[in-house]
Amino acid sequence: MRIISGEARGRTLFAPNGQDTRPTSDKIRGSLFNILNGCIEDAEVLDLFGGTGALALEALSRGAARAVISDSSRAAVECIRRNAENVLKDSLKERALILKTDYRSAITNVAGRRFDLVFLDPPYRMLETYADAISRLERQGSLSSDAIIIAERRHDALVEYPEEFEIYDTRVYGETAIDFLRRRQ
């Protein structure tokens, strides 16, 4: 894995050993960021199930202002830190906050911040997590008025989202589907 574009283009990304982390492939990440192209510059990013940190770090490489990346796995957080140091170099402390915590605590920890892009890529078995995370962020006021939520899921999973949000695009890549959500108009 590597950073695909932007100021850190070509820098290597590492993944933790084992089956607990399911990194988004370079191909899917490239397609995803092509879709998000006009929404990245100066964005505030939240990645609640960071894994390798690839999604948030790609956004930072492409011009996002800052990112919060969380994961509950110690191995994943160590990997995220290693990748962030490699990608961000001296700007790490100013541009990225890495949290070792579950998504609920991460949301509580970011109270007072507003995010433009939110990446949700929980373990596929955690179907209720998508709606719960979005609802918590919304109740807390942590989503900007035009926030985009990017939810990665198994292509055949039936995921329910809060009714205040609509899927405005879905892309399927083999076994993986990406839903793009925003507030209903």
Side-chain angles (χ1 to χ4, degrees):
M1 288 190 341
R2 61 185 171 77
I3 295 293
I4 298 165
S5 188
E7 64 186 36
R9 180 183 179 162
R11 292 193 186 144
T12 301
L13 296 172
F14 303 94
N17 293 328
Q19 301 295 318
D20 292 338
T21 300
R22 186 188 70 265
T24 303
S25 73
D26 288 358
K27 177 183 174 186
I28 295 173
R29 213 166 358 99
S31 177
L32 164 69
F33 279 95
N34 286 339
I35 294 165
L36 292 173
N37 191 27
C39 307
I40 301 168
E41 191 68 31
D42 295 324
E44 296 288 331
V45 176
L46 176 61
D47 188 349
L48 285 175
F49 300 88
T52 63
L55 293 171
L57 295 171
E58 185 75 40
L60 290 168
S61 178
R62 292 175 183 237
R66 283 173 293 284
V68 176
I69 312 167
S70 74
D71 202 291
S72 60
S73 161
R74 178 178 307 215
V77 168
E78 288 171 7
C79 186
I80 293 165
R81 284 192 204 290
R82 180 178 179 193
N83 287 334
E85 288 168 357
N86 186 39
V87 170
L88 299 173
K89 307 287 185 198
D90 294 334
S91 67
L92 172 61
K93 289 183 179 170
E94 296 82 40
R95 297 187 67 205
L97 172 62
I98 301 166
L99 303 172
K100 187 206 167 295
T101 188
D102 66 69
Y103 78 95
R104 292 176 199 93
S105 295
I107 291 169
T108 300
N109 285 330
V110 298
R113 294 180 75 164
R114 294 174 66 91
F115 296 96
D116 306 301
L117 296 175
V118 176
F119 294 105
L120 292 176
D121 184 12
Y124 285 166
R125 69 184 179 282
M126 297 174 63
L127 294 178
E128 74 289 340
T129 303
Y130 298 90
D132 186 46
I134 295 167
S135 294
R136 287 171 185 265
L137 289 164
E138 180 72 355
R139 281 192 309 267
Q140 184 172 280
S142 292
L143 298 173
S144 68
S145 61
D146 56 352
I148 297 172
I149 299 164
I150 302 94
E152 185 173 331
R153 60 177 173 81
R154 276 188 51 84
H155 75 288
D156 57 353
L158 299 174
V159 174
E160 292 188 27
Y161 298 110
E163 64 182 39
E164 310 92 310
F165 290 83
E166 64 181 350
I167 298 171
Y168 70 89
D169 196 357
T170 296
R171 303 294 170 105
V172 178
Y173 309 91
E175 296 291 313
T176 300
I178 308 276
D179 292 330
F180 296 82
L181 296 96
R182 64 182 168 214
R183 281 189 189 87
R184 290 193 186 277
Q185 301 297 322

